[in-house]
Amino acid sequence: MSKMKKKGRAMFVFICILAFIISFAGSAIFKMTYVSPKLKKYSVKWSDETGKIYTDLSYGEKPANKFDLYVPKDNTKENYGLIVYLHAGGFATGDKSDDAKMLQWLCSLGYVAAGINYTLFNEENSDANVYTQSMEIKESMPYIVEEAKKLGYNIDRMAISGGSAGGCLALIYAYRDADTSPVPVKMVFEGVGPSSFYPEDWKNYGFDKNAEAAAGLFSVMTGKTITADLFGTPEYDELVKDTSPLYWVNENTVPTVMAYGMHDTFQPYEGSVRLDEKLTKYNVPHEYIVFEHSGHGLQNDNKQMVRYSEAILEYLEKYMMN
């Protein structure tokens, strides 16, 4: 292959990656700022009477290894449940502070809540990827549990959640890392998080027809060297397993609430169908909520958003209450 052709293909892969990051992050911002009037009941007006917030607590040596902890005012219980919420942003942008409203609401329900930052993929951190981010999340958990204990909140169970990129990372922890969690993981809830990397599903980027472009993006996302000829082989499955929640589903997988837009053009809706089918196959308790008129922002189905919020509460009451 000529140098010019190689350069052209490399540029095409770069453009695909850049388009993914920009669009994925941008859609997440819209999702964060849009609030339906019907969802007002799933929020809280925060005050000292609700709880207290501790910001930028450290869990590692990297600059991004920080977390915020939200603790309820009532500190008289023997044990508390922890809910971790991971921020959106296409794995390249975003911050734990973006989810302050969600974390405040979760804390108002009587849970200790935590928002976690992780090293983002950018020019300064070109080695960051979904796998390294998932490992930072995994490493943060003992620090969060210990910090809560120091503040007088003994954690004996947890749930994990997130939106978009954060949803993917939440699924990875709940499915892949639950066995090593410092406290039992009882459930996961998430919205529009990628769960697998099948090129034929990612047709919104043309990856069903351009395997080289798919290999380029998936290599960046997983931190593994993926070539087009690997697709459809056991070797490929092994390469992407650590960043693909779908591969970890079994009869012991934790209960799951998940929401996806049928017209999502940033991550594949088809991937959520695969996840629903596998959870069903293994009889995992789960709620699969499809937003039939929405894309990645889940912005066009208010009734479904209310249902998603209701399902979260139902699962929290069922699996996180003492």
Side-chain angles (χ1 to χ4, degrees):
M1 183 183 297
S2 69
K3 289 184 178 181
M4 185 171 293
K5 286 185 177 180
K6 286 184 178 180
K7 185 176 181 180
R9 291 192 177 185
M11 180 59 68
F12 181 78
V13 170
F14 172 77
I15 291 172
C16 286
I17 294 170
L18 186 62
F20 170 80
I21 291 173
I22 292 174
S23 60
F24 208 2
S27 64
I29 291 172
F30 178 80
K31 180 176 184 293
M32 305 282 292
T33 56
Y34 175 77
V35 179
S36 165
K38 295 182 179 180
L39 296 174
K40 294 295 185 181
K41 62 183 290 187
Y42 301 103
S43 62
V44 65
K45 186 175 181 180
W46 185 264
S47 72
D48 292 341
E49 295 303 309
T50 310
K52 189 171 183 179
I53 306 171
Y54 297 85
T55 61
D56 291 329
L57 303 169
S58 297
Y59 69 85
E61 298 180 355
K62 296 180 180 179
N65 292 166
K66 305 289 185 181
F67 66 95
D68 294 344
L69 203 60
Y70 296 66
V71 297
K73 183 175 182 180
D74 179 6
N75 62 356
T76 62
K77 298 178 182 178
E78 183 177 354
N79 297 302
Y80 290 81
L82 167 70
I83 302 179
V84 171
Y85 195 92
L86 305 176
H87 72 77
F91 307 101
T93 66
D95 185 86
K96 52 187 170 52
S97 62
D98 298 337
D99 302 310
K101 295 297 183 182
M102 168 65 81
L103 291 161
Q104 290 170 5
W105 176 64
L106 293 171
C107 183
S108 75
L109 300 177
Y111 299 101
V112 173
I116 307 173
N117 273 356
Y118 45 87
T119 302
L120 302 171
F121 172 76
N122 52 39
E123 289 185 8
E124 295 180 358
N125 301 297
S126 59
D127 291 334
N129 52 65
V130 180
Y131 177 70
T132 60
Q133 292 168 350
S134 73
M135 293 305 294
E136 289 183 15
I137 296 301
K138 178 180 179 179
E139 291 163 5
S140 73
M141 295 304 175
Y143 290 88
I144 295 171
V145 171
E146 182 59 29
E147 187 63 35
K149 185 176 182 180
K150 289 179 182 178
L151 295 171
Y153 301 82
N154 186 60
I155 304 297
D156 67 347
R157 62 202 183 280
M158 69 169 286
I160 189 164
S161 179
S164 196
C168 173
L169 293 168
L171 287 172
I172 290 173
Y173 187 82
Y175 294 175
R176 188 193 71 188
D177 300 326
D179 290 345
T180 60
S181 176
V183 294
V185 180
K186 297 295 187 178
M187 60 168 284
V188 58
F189 60 97
E190 61 87 24
V192 297
S195 61
S196 57
F197 299 98
Y198 291 92
E200 59 268 32
D201 291 349
W202 293 70
K203 59 179 66 70
N204 42 308
Y205 295 97
F207 291 165
D208 55 328
K209 298 178 180 178
N210 193 324
E212 289 191 14
L217 177 60
F218 295 168
S219 293
V220 171
M221 293 183 72
T222 63
K224 303 292 179 66
T225 301
I226 295 172
T227 55
D229 60 296
L230 290 172
F231 291 133
T233 68
E235 185 179 355
Y236 175 71
D237 292 345
E238 193 61 32
L239 284 171
V240 300
K241 182 178 181 179
D242 280 338
T243 51
S244 300
L246 180 73
Y247 287 80
W248 296 91
V249 174
N250 57 42
E251 62 275 2
N252 298 315
T253 295
V254 299
T256 302
V257 177
M258 54 189 191
Y260 287 90
M262 188 174 287
H263 302 283
D264 198 331
T265 58
F266 302 129
Q267 72 85 38
Y269 166 72
E270 289 83 354
S272 70
V273 176
R274 291 182 188 269
L275 183 56
D276 173 53
E277 290 175 347
K278 196 163 186 182
L279 290 169
T280 300
K281 174 183 176 181
Y282 284 101
N283 296 313
V284 177
H286 71 286
E287 189 84 17
Y288 176 46
I289 302 170
V290 176
F291 289 59
E292 296 181 352
H293 307 97
S294 298
H296 195 66
L298 304 180
Q299 70 272 27
N300 297 325
D301 294 272
N302 289 346
K303 290 183 178 180
Q304 292 301 80
M305 184 60 80
V306 171
R307 176 59 199 141
Y308 177 48
S309 302
E310 290 174 344
I312 291 171
L313 282 178
E314 290 170 6
Y315 272 60
L316 287 174
E317 291 175 2
K318 184 172 183 179
Y319 297 104
M320 282 287 286
M321 299 295 284
N322 277 332

